Amino acid sequence: MSKRIIQTQELTKRYRGGLLAVDRVSFYVTEGEIFGLLGPNGAGKSTTIHMLITLLKPTAGRAEVCGYDVSKSPDAVRRCIGYVSQDIAVDESLTGRENLELQGRFYHLPKDVLESRTAELLEMLELTERANDLVSTYSGGMRKRLDITEGLIHRPRILFLDEPTLGLDIQTRRRIWDYIEDLRSKHGITVFLTTHYMEEADHLCDRVAIIDEGRIVALGSPAELKAQIGGDLVRLKLGGRDGLPEEELRRELSSLAPVERVVADGAETYTLVVRDGERALPGIFSRLIDLGVSIESVNMKRPTLDDVFLHYTGKELRDKEGSGAYYRASAAIRRARR
Amino acid sequence: MFTNTFFVDTWWVCWRELKHLLGQKMRLFMTLFQPFIWLTLMGNLFERVAMIPGFPAAKYLDYMTPGIVVMVTLFAGMFGGMSIVWDRRLGFFQKMLAAPISRAAVVAGKMLAIGIQTAFQSLVILGIAWGMGVSFAAGPLGILPLAGLAFLLSMAFAGLSLSLGAVLTSHEALIAVVNFLTMPLVFTSNAMMPLDLMPDWLAGLATWNPLSYAINPMRGLFLTGWAWNELLNGALVLALVALVTGSVATALIRRSLA
């Protein structure tokens, strides 16, 4: 088994005001993994990451990072990790090179190491030509990549990324994703990230912990988590039931072999969890027609992490996060599809 | 509190602050132009104050120039906390604290940068005042204690401001508190008026005001020349206040991480 580079046991944070932000969270991350903490705003993601990087003290429980206890040996933990905050924390009044060098100074790199490391990272960023321009002249995506790269100056074993693509447009987001995957494949670095974008967790992470109200509600690879839903999601909107009572209809639908679960979604709308949905649909249709029920519309999809979140918490991940052009666009597309 | 990298860390935090100052041409220009306006306006406005019997200087401007140095220094120091509020909002603060640098160095570096800035400002004010005919009794070497006192005084108040910045998370709140404190600090000192001409209760307050510990020795440099006792006494008190306010700021930053 590969090495556990992060391990927490019942990690808990209660703020001075009494708010329980993280509640007995236990998980581990193995070396070389991209591990994601997925949850809505206020779920406890940032609090968890801040305890792991020694910016907050846990109230109870333990966390070990690179084999060091975060409460007992914070400086050893700091030397072993790189941290990139959710803000694009590059200094606009300095040049790209100065930003990288200053970061290296904060990690006490000797001058010769600092120079070679800076040159190497500028090369990797394809920024060598603009290295001496002020960061205020860089694009948003460029700044974020510089920000992430600064976290690598001291060759950390783990890179912590707090909401790495927050507020970036979709093209930039994809470039950042490619960049993070590259870092892992070329440098073998472990990546711990938080996100409330389920596409990000799905696309990037080997394993995902879904967190809500300070507790981990599900943990596994995106494929495993989606498999836990138990099938495809078929959403039916009915035109009329011909006097058939709702209870009866649900019983009839549940009795069909491929149907795992039936959830009423409001007025005359039902979501069915169905194994092998494509093949099951005709059978469901003919049963409904036999019962004299008319179907107004139907929609089938594979489960996403969003559905996993809904499954475990009874809440929608997306509805909590309505901001960002990308989400407005994707919401519009979903509306158009219905 | 002090790790063996403290001084190096302090320098790099300070370096960044100085880069910010030098990178902003307008801010740089204003820090130099503002004292000129103050000297011109106040020198003329209060010209006749010097005729009050018992006033210790022949010209009000001679008396007022060290007062201007102290006011400029105080203002610069009192806004020192802005950088911490700003850094926190940018995420740069968290980035520094996630690195293995001393927390005290984050405070000390910011204080040092303001100290260096005001030391230079004090010399610019002296130059302008000299051009306007103000006499400087201590002679050319007197610029060293003048700059040194400005350096210490601004660090003392930068420490206070950074303490506020460690607790207050918005610019608006910090500006409000700083504005609330600044003018009373000036008026309860002998920056504008000699103690002898103040009401007793105000003069009593002024003797406790750290500003007075900068103004008295500075005024000595302008009006009478070198007074070692007063200079050393002032420098010692200001250094002590800076140490206390800086330690408080560091402690508050540590507390915010608990």
Side-chain angles (χ1 to χ4, degrees):
Chain A
M1 198 189 75
S2 27
K3 196 168 178 290
R4 294 185 172 185
I5 197 162
I6 302 175
Q7 181 147 22
T8 75
Q9 280 158 16
E10 310 254 304
L11 190 65
T12 300
K13 179 69 193 181
R14 189 184 284 280
Y15 285 108
R16 269 190 287 267
L19 175 76
L20 187 61
V22 174
D23 185 11
R24 287 165 289 151
V25 159
S26 303
F27 63 87
Y28 65 85
V29 178
T30 55
E31 189 143 30
E33 208 176 12
I34 298 185
F35 185 92
L37 207 51
L38 173 70
N41 294 332
K45 301 187 300 287
S46 280
T47 305
T48 305
I49 211 170
H50 278 115
M51 285 192 281
L52 295 178
I53 64 168
T54 76
L55 286 196
L56 270 180
K57 285 206 174 71
T59 320
R62 282 162 53 83
E64 272 185 15
V65 176
C66 302
Y68 300 105
D69 188 297
V70 293
S71 306
K72 290 177 192 142
S73 323
D75 263 336
V77 171
R78 285 174 199 141
R79 271 189 285 272
C80 164
I81 62 168
Y83 166 62
V84 182
S85 79
Q86 59 183 311
D87 314 285
I88 303 182
V90 286
D91 194 322
E92 290 186 16
S93 322
L94 305 178
T95 66
R97 185 191 304 280
E98 285 170 338
N99 265 288
L100 278 167
E101 284 179 351
L102 185 60
Q103 182 76 1
R105 304 287 188 192
F106 288 159
Y107 285 86
H108 311 122
L109 299 183
K111 200 169 176 0
D112 52 330
V113 176
L114 182 63
E115 275 168 16
S116 65
R117 210 66 69 74
T118 305
E120 174 195 319
L121 292 177
L122 285 170
E123 184 89 358
M124 187 169 92
L125 275 167
E126 295 164 18
L127 199 69
T128 308
E129 281 178 10
R130 299 200 54 202
N132 297 325
D133 294 349
L134 288 181
V135 169
S136 54
T137 65
Y138 293 5
S139 69
M142 196 68 253
R143 288 179 201 197
K144 189 67 208 185
R145 284 195 296 146
L146 174 63
D147 193 22
I148 294 174
T149 309
E150 279 184 40
L152 300 171
I153 192 100
H154 57 294
R155 296 244 167 99
R157 288 169 66 198
I158 315 173
L159 189 60
F160 284 90
L161 304 172
D162 198 357
E163 301 271 4
T165 63
L166 187 71
L168 299 178
D169 60 65
I170 184 69
Q171 288 90 347
T172 312
R173 170 166 301 158
R174 293 204 172 273
R175 286 197 71 182
I176 301 285
W177 288 352
D178 291 345
Y179 191 66
I180 294 169
E181 282 177 328
D182 248 28
L183 288 180
R184 194 260 296 267
S185 60
K186 289 191 187 135
H187 302 270
I189 194 168
T190 307
V191 177
F192 182 102
L193 62 88
T194 69
T195 184
H196 62 265
Y197 299 129
M198 61 130 194
E199 286 89 346
E200 186 157 284
D202 203 355
H203 182 97
L204 268 179
C205 297
D206 302 316
R207 286 192 308 137
V208 175
I210 295 182
I211 186 168
D212 183 50
E213 294 179 356
R215 303 224 57 173
I216 288 182
V217 294
L219 198 159
S221 72
E224 280 166 11
L225 290 175
K226 286 183 279 190
Q228 284 175 17
I229 295 284
D232 300 321
L233 296 164
V234 174
R235 195 175 162 89
L236 293 169
K237 184 156 174 54
L238 304 183
R241 279 191 264 127
D242 195 23
L244 188 73
E246 191 181 328
E247 275 307 300
E248 187 106 352
L249 173 69
R250 290 182 69 145
R251 199 159 47 238
E252 286 288 346
L253 285 171
S254 304
S255 70
L256 294 168
V259 175
E260 294 278 332
R261 263 197 319 283
V262 180
V263 186
D265 271 356
E268 298 302 317
T269 306
Y270 297 86
T271 297
L272 316 184
V273 178
V274 182
R275 273 177 287 115
D276 201 4
E278 279 118 342
R279 287 169 179 281
L281 270 184
I284 295 171
F285 284 178
S286 65
R287 186 73 197 116
L288 286 171
I289 290 162
D290 288 350
L291 288 166
V293 174
S294 69
I295 304 165
E296 194 175 293
S297 68
V298 63
N299 164 295
M300 193 191 80
K301 60 167 188 151
R302 307 262 178 247
T304 63
L305 289 180
D306 201 14
D307 301 306
V308 178
F309 187 80
L310 179 68
H311 176 66
Y312 282 103
T313 67
K315 287 180 288 191
E316 295 242 9
L317 188 55
R318 281 179 191 278
D319 287 353
K320 290 212 167 180
E321 168 55 38
S323 66
Y326 172 64
Y327 276 96
R328 279 196 297 279
S330 72
I333 290 166
R334 274 184 294 137
R335 275 196 303 276
R337 276 196 192 133
R338 279 187 201 140
Chain B
M1 187 160 177
F2 294 102
T3 59
N4 50 0
T5 58
F6 172 76
F7 293 103
V8 183
D9 292 342
T10 299
W11 166 246
W12 288 111
V13 173
C14 171
W15 174 85
R16 171 170 173 259
E17 299 292 331
L18 292 176
K19 280 291 244 187
H20 283 183
L21 178 66
L22 295 173
Q24 292 165 303
K25 303 276 182 296
M26 191 62 190
R27 184 169 150 209
L28 203 57
F29 172 74
M30 288 314 291
T31 55
L32 302 180
F33 189 63
Q34 182 198 36
F36 176 74
I37 296 294
W38 284 13
L39 277 172
T40 315
L41 289 179
M42 288 208 191
N44 286 308
L45 180 66
F46 295 118
E47 206 183 293
R48 287 167 174 245
V49 172
M51 292 173 186
I52 298 172
F55 196 80
K59 280 190 299 176
Y60 184 72
L61 207 53
D62 286 359
Y63 181 82
M64 190 55 212
T65 302
I68 300 269
V69 172
V70 162
M71 275 169 67
V72 166
T73 303
L74 170 70
F75 280 37
M78 282 301 267
F79 277 100
M82 289 292 278
S83 75
I84 224 168
V85 178
W86 193 235
D87 276 354
R88 192 189 288 119
R89 193 151 294 183
L90 291 177
F92 205 93
F93 188 60
Q94 292 85 332
K95 189 168 172 171
M96 283 194 285
L97 296 181
I101 69 172
S102 148
R103 272 68 185 130
V106 174
V107 172
K110 287 178 183 290
M111 285 168 67
L112 181 63
I114 288 167
I116 292 172
Q117 175 198 329
T118 53
F120 277 104
Q121 274 181 298
S122 71
L123 299 185
V124 171
I125 297 168
L126 177 65
I128 295 169
W130 182 76
M132 293 169 84
V134 170
S135 55
F136 190 61
L141 274 182
I143 65 170
L144 294 176
L146 179 72
L149 287 166
F151 177 80
L152 291 173
L153 177 69
S154 65
M155 294 222 289
F157 282 102
L160 173 66
S161 183
L162 287 165
S163 305
L164 292 169
V167 180
L168 304 171
T169 47
S170 80
H171 293 101
E172 292 85 354
L174 184 65
I175 291 171
V177 176
V178 163
N179 280 339
F180 170 76
L181 290 175
T182 306
M183 287 322 279
L185 273 167
V186 172
F187 290 127
T188 58
S189 78
N190 56 352
M192 296 186 166
M193 211 35 95
L195 290 182
D196 296 344
L197 298 181
M198 285 186 190
D200 285 346
W201 64 273
L202 213 50
L205 275 178
T207 53
W208 284 95
N209 189 331
L211 282 185
S212 302
Y213 288 89
I215 297 170
N216 289 337
M218 276 189 195
R219 194 157 277 151
L221 292 169
F222 276 84
L223 300 179
T224 54
W226 292 75
W228 283 104
N229 260 348
E230 211 172 27
L231 283 173
L232 289 177
N233 184 33
L236 202 67
V237 169
L238 294 175
L240 215 62
V241 176
L243 193 65
V244 169
T245 58
S247 305
V248 169
T250 307
L252 288 174
I253 287 172
R254 283 171 187 280
R255 184 173 159 270
S256 74
L257 303 177

